[in-house]
Amino acid sequence: MAAGWLAKGLSQLFKLPVEQGRTLAFSFGTRNSFVVLPVALALPAGWELVAMVVVLQSLVELLGMLFYLWWVPCRLLKSS
């Protein structure tokens, strides 16, 4: 949520159109968790928990993104 408020503040500061503010919000709000998954899987035995944490973190992020897809256009950066 902090990423959304940061995007809203920056879009107001730079007087960006709503569409560009939304792009900024989604750019700030997403990460590339699955990029680290091959690194986590390549760790030696005994580090399996790291891969599980990366996968669970990605699932939580995907669920959060469902909320974010509704919240940004409907509540945070509405079209006039």
Side-chain angles (χ1 to χ4, degrees):
M1 283 225 184
W5 291 111
L6 177 63
K8 183 174 183 172
L10 288 174
S11 65
Q12 289 175 343
L13 178 69
F14 292 110
K15 297 176 177 45
L16 297 175
V18 174
E19 293 81 13
Q20 290 180 355
R22 289 177 184 173
T23 301
L24 198 58
F26 284 107
S27 295
F28 284 157
T30 58
R31 295 185 346 258
N32 294 319
S33 302
F34 288 114
V35 173
V36 238
L37 186 58
V39 175
L41 291 173
L43 291 172
W47 289 82
E48 293 85 6
L49 184 62
V50 174
M52 188 174 72
V53 167
V54 170
V55 170
L56 287 175
Q57 173 185 348
S58 299
L59 290 174
V60 168
E61 184 179 342
L62 286 172
L63 293 174
M65 188 54 65
L66 290 174
F67 169 75
Y68 209 61
L69 283 168
W70 168 81
W71 181 66
V72 169
C74 292
R75 300 283 185 211
L76 185 66
L77 293 165
K78 294 191 273 186
S79 296
S80 298

